[in-house]
Amino acid sequence: MESDVLELLKRSINEQRCAAVRYHDQGGVRVVEPHAAYTDERGELVVDCYQTGGYSASGRPLPFWKRMRVKKIVSVSLLNDTFEPRIDQGFSPSKPRYKRDVVAIVGAGKPCFLYSPEALKEMGPFLPEEIGRAHV
């Protein structure tokens, strides 16, 4: 069962698709944007998700980051909704926890050059492709 859950989470991360997740003994479904699946410092397989809807055991208002233990997830359904990496909400693929045993991480299969709106403003407009290349 855990391998099926992990395969769906990996697909959700790679395709940047939202997922509906049911977590161990809780009746409610959570709507999440999985960003990274990896082995944590205790050797446990976990997934960092940005929860945007559904059940919250703590009653905390949405949205928020949630680290879920893969072995506690009993079902995953991929949704049609897609998402962009939550850089402005604190996600960074260069965090130290993602340096060891990463199973999947957002942006791994495609260029991941995401700049904040402030950085884009400082950089100014991009040059057209034909002008930006120097020939030697």
Side-chain angles (χ1 to χ4, degrees):
M1 174 66 105
E2 186 176 319
S3 64
D4 294 338
V5 166
L6 183 59
E7 286 305 311
L8 284 170
L9 288 170
K10 285 173 26 181
R11 186 170 164 201
S12 176
I13 291 167
N14 291 331
E15 296 176 8
Q16 291 181 203
R17 285 177 57 190
C18 297
V21 174
R22 189 174 305 276
Y23 201 51
H24 62 99
D25 60 348
Q26 298 168 354
V29 172
R30 302 166 189 262
V31 177
V32 298
E33 299 172 353
H35 277 61
Y38 60 100
T39 303
D40 70 5
E41 62 280 350
R42 294 177 306 206
E44 217 172 333
L45 196 55
V46 295
V47 60
D48 285 350
C49 300
Y50 194 71
Q51 185 171 337
T52 59
Y55 178 79
S56 170
S58 67
R60 180 168 62 170
L62 299 168
F64 55 81
W65 284 102
K66 173 87 177 152
R67 181 176 298 165
M68 303 176 91
R69 295 162 56 188
V70 172
K71 72 179 181 182
K72 297 282 188 173
I73 297 173
V74 295
S75 68
V76 176
S77 296
L78 296 183
L79 305 177
N80 290 330
D81 297 336
T82 59
F83 65 90
E84 291 299 318
R86 297 287 184 159
I87 304 299
D88 290 342
Q89 288 78 23
F91 177 73
S92 172
S94 63
K95 285 187 178 178
R97 66 175 161 231
Y98 303 137
K99 296 296 182 206
R100 60 177 279 219
D101 297 329
V102 170
V103 175
I105 193 162
V106 164
K110 55 185 113 172
C112 193
F113 298 105
L114 300 172
Y115 298 102
S116 70
E118 296 81 20
L120 285 171
K121 196 179 295 180
E122 287 179 20
M123 285 189 277
F126 291 99
L127 292 174
E129 285 277 325
E130 61 276 4
I131 296 174
R133 300 189 194 275
H135 298 289
V136 179

